[in-house]
Amino acid sequence: MTGASSAWLAGLSDVQHQVATYASGPQLVTAGPGSGKTRTLCAWIVERLASDQAQPEEILAVTFTRRAAQELRERLQGLLGPRAERLSVGTFHRLAVQVAPLAGSLHVVEEAERLQLIDVALSGSGCRKSVSSLSSLISLRKGQHPDYGQRLSSGELDLSAEELQVFRRYEQLLVEAGAVDLDDLLLRALTALVADAMGRRFRFVAVDEYQDVSAVQRALTVALGQHATVLAIGDPDQAIYAFRGGEVRHFRGFLDDFPGAVSRCLVENHRSTPQIVRASAAVIAHNSDRRPPPPVPMRPSGAALTLWRSSSPFAEAQRVAKEIERLIGGTSLLAYDSGQSASWQQGSYGFADVAILTRTVARADALGKALGESGLPFSRPSVKPAQAVIESGQAVWEPFCEADQLEDQRLALLTLHGAKGLEFAVVFLVGLEAGQIPGLGRSDAERQEERRLFFVGMTRAKERLYLSYVDASLANQGSERGESRPSPFLAEIPGELMVAEAAPKRRPPKPQLRLF
């Protein structure tokens, strides 16, 4: 793989080429939206093999979702052919089972069994939290503390006495059931790596979406880096998973964990129009804790962003549905045949080119109902529990995300969190009221994360971006709590990049004919 066969480096920018060809030490790469992150990561892996620095079995690539891992495998197969099958590519949980296999009768609890155990642990504890909230809290604390077991024993987990009792009882029930949960897989793998059980196997490690790592995943990366050259790549402006332990400080901490590491930035945006790039950059620039340089749009100029104000969520959904029909030229003649449209012609987009994104699951579900009534085909994935994938006789447990379940040739109806890592020609960001995003009573840190979430939604769009909110005062509904005010993030978009469209006027009802 030399000379004319170095196609994996062709067309890379100067900085991408520097990343791909550097192997003298650890690298931290800040890669903004549409900057060719995955392409650069693949080029780095292929270059290690082409330069005879490693064998495929000595390279590990870790990412966060099954969908991202599958995309990475497919790209590497296109570049390497059968050799790609010998690479280790997968999620952190897949790595964990590989490093610390489950022995004997030990099994991973499914979500239903886990909730039952928590319910039993909750009984008689005096704790007033729900089972679901305790489930999230247990997962959060396990992700936040690589020394979780010691902290559980000493009580240093920032819990009430009642919560600590539930935590300890839950762990006891796991032991009695001969089980571990998903978070335990990562903790077990960390113990194995620190003990050097598998640490020397990999010579080169790439970690994708590094801005999303928890403290335990950060510790896993550091442990792997004791014997391997590490490439960490991601975007701190897209760090949106604090609720599960993914804090932006872990991304920045890479340079402390790996002294002498090289830091580079990929700033060229090849995905979105200049209008979308500049608008999203203007919004995220209001976060005081950010450091990356501004993005450079590489695509031709496009349409201005569109701002809508509607009187109710239902009116908003109807407006979205009608605009989608206009963009695609009618729902495959459905609107024309049913009399909803006076004419039909082929539009510029297909259903799969369009995404509707919301802040909350409840708002997405309400939109789904309205879209269903309109006859538009859409995919509304749910957040499912983890699923076991059998590989070489070993059950590999991985959590699901919404993007793993999207259906082809349908509109995508997703939460902002679920849209992470995806891109669409047309994006509708709906439900942009202050009460939804950033929400009321947020701390400064929470507000900055909500702004990053808004930024993620904006940067999913390649060509057209619609921003929509509900103003309850238009329908003379109460809004004394401020929930129907537009999100303050909308005011951070430069006015020259956005056009506000008035709501379509309602047609007066036709007068009934008199019979006499």
Side-chain angles (χ1 to χ4, degrees):
M1 298 178 64
T2 58
S5 62
S6 59
W8 58 92
L9 298 178
L12 295 181
S13 69
D14 290 343
V15 179
Q16 288 173 329
H17 191 275
Q18 291 169 10
V19 172
T21 56
Y22 183 79
S24 301
Q27 285 188 91
L28 178 67
V29 179
T30 300
S35 62
K37 172 173 64 70
T38 304
R39 181 185 180 187
T40 305
L41 189 154
C42 289
W44 183 82
I45 291 173
V46 176
E47 183 67 13
R48 305 288 73 76
L49 299 174
S51 57
D52 295 324
Q53 294 175 323
Q55 294 299 311
E57 294 82 1
E58 297 174 313
I59 296 178
L60 169 68
V62 185
T63 188
F64 276 81
T65 68
R66 299 173 64 185
R67 184 187 184 98
Q70 182 60 30
E71 179 187 352
L72 194 56
R73 289 191 200 99
E74 291 173 354
R75 290 205 190 190
L76 289 168
Q77 286 170 357
L79 292 167
L80 295 169
R83 295 185 75 192
E85 297 178 4
R86 295 160 55 193
L87 297 167
S88 293
V89 180
T91 63
F92 270 103
H93 291 86
R94 184 181 296 264
L95 165 67
V97 175
Q98 189 176 349
V99 169
L102 298 177
S105 60
L106 194 64
H107 71 281
V108 179
V109 287
E110 296 187 19
E111 185 65 11
E113 180 185 359
R114 181 171 182 267
L115 293 177
Q116 288 176 355
L117 293 178
I118 294 174
D119 191 29
V120 173
L122 179 61
S123 179
S125 67
C127 179
R128 296 189 176 184
K129 275 190 165 64
S130 67
V131 171
S132 61
S133 63
L134 282 168
S135 173
S136 298
L137 185 58
I138 290 171
S139 184
L140 176 63
R141 290 294 185 267
K142 287 189 175 184
Q144 288 175 326
H145 301 294
D147 56 348
Y148 173 80
Q150 299 175 18
R151 287 177 174 270
L152 183 66
S153 298
S154 63
E156 299 177 86
L157 286 172
D158 191 23
L159 301 171
S160 68
E162 295 79 10
E163 290 167 346
L164 183 61
Q165 179 181 337
V166 174
F167 273 49
R168 288 172 172 168
R169 177 60 177 149
Y170 168 69
E171 295 301 325
Q172 180 183 350
L173 291 171
L174 281 176
V175 172
E176 293 173 0
V180 295
D181 59 25
L182 275 175
D183 304 295
D184 290 330
L185 295 181
L186 302 184
L187 291 168
R188 294 175 75 255
L190 179 58
T191 300
L193 286 173
V194 170
D196 201 28
M198 292 283 290
R200 296 183 183 274
R201 172 178 175 180
F202 302 110
R203 295 184 60 194
F204 293 94
V205 175
V207 184
D208 193 12
E209 302 289 359
Y210 198 70
Q211 77 281 347
D212 291 332
V213 296
S214 65
V216 169
Q217 290 161 339
R218 174 181 176 178
L220 282 168
T221 303
V222 172
L224 288 165
Q226 299 306 304
H227 307 290
T229 299
V230 178
L231 166 66
I233 189 167
D235 182 8
D237 285 341
Q238 298 185 64
I240 58 173
Y241 292 111
F243 64 90
R244 68 182 191 194
E247 300 177 49
V248 70
R249 64 185 177 90
H250 297 317
F251 182 92
R252 295 170 183 148
F254 185 91
L255 299 178
D256 298 322
D257 296 333
F258 295 92
V262 171
S263 178
R264 293 188 170 93
C265 295
L266 304 181
V267 297
E268 294 180 349
N269 187 311
H270 299 269
R271 174 188 297 163
S272 306
T273 63
Q275 287 81 356
I276 296 171
V277 172
R278 291 171 183 144
S280 57
V283 171
I284 200 64
H286 284 77
N287 270 9
S288 60
D289 62 349
R290 68 183 306 276
R291 300 174 187 174
V296 179
M298 303 300 291
R299 292 191 59 181
S301 183
L305 283 64
T306 302
L307 178 65
W308 286 347
R309 182 176 66 153
S310 301
S311 61
S312 69
F314 182 74
E316 179 183 59
Q318 284 186 315
R319 194 171 186 182
V320 169
K322 289 181 179 179
E323 181 66 5
I324 291 173
E325 287 189 0
R326 187 188 71 80
L327 291 171
I328 65 174
T331 56
S332 299
L333 295 177
L334 176 62
Y336 176 63
D337 291 341
S338 63
Q340 297 177 34
S341 176
S343 62
W344 180 87
Q345 62 180 19
Q346 182 63 46
S348 303
Y349 303 100
F351 292 118
D353 295 321
V354 182
I356 306 167
L357 310 181
T358 70
R359 174 63 182 87
T360 65
V361 171
R363 191 62 164 264
D365 291 341
L367 272 160
K369 182 178 180 180
L371 290 173
E373 293 176 355
S374 73
L376 290 167
F378 69 95
S379 177
R380 171 68 188 106
S382 59
V383 180
K384 293 183 178 181
Q387 176 174 308
V389 180
I390 306 300
E391 291 187 354
S392 303
Q394 177 72 55
V396 179
W397 286 83
E398 295 180 318
F400 265 110
C401 71
E402 291 178 65
D404 292 329
Q405 308 161 64
L406 284 176
E407 300 177 60
D408 293 335
Q409 305 307 316
R410 290 176 176 268
L411 305 169
L413 177 55
L414 300 162
T415 64
L416 289 169
H417 285 98
K420 177 76 178 299
L422 303 177
E423 60 181 38
F424 303 89
V426 181
V427 169
F428 292 85
L429 291 186
V430 302
L432 299 179
E433 300 92 46
Q436 295 277 318
I437 183 168
L440 305 180
R442 297 283 191 181
S443 67
D444 288 343
E446 291 170 336
R447 191 181 181 90
Q448 293 203 40
E449 172 139 339
E450 290 292 312
R451 185 179 283 109
R452 291 195 293 268
L453 187 58
F454 185 58
F455 173 79
V456 166
M458 295 180 72
T459 55
R460 300 312 92 197
K462 295 193 289 186
E463 299 175 11
R464 291 176 177 266
L465 178 58
Y466 295 81
L467 307 168
S468 176
Y469 70 97
V470 168
D471 183 351
S473 66
L474 294 178
N476 296 320
Q477 298 176 15
S479 57
E480 58 276 6
R481 291 188 297 171
E483 295 182 356
S484 70
R485 294 197 309 268
S487 169
F489 301 151
L490 291 171
E492 297 171 356
I493 300 173
E496 66 271 16
L497 298 175
M498 185 167 56
V499 174
E501 289 187 357
K505 294 182 179 180
R506 294 183 179 180
R507 295 180 179 178
K510 295 181 179 180
Q512 292 183 342
L513 295 177
R514 291 189 175 184
L515 298 178
F516 304 100

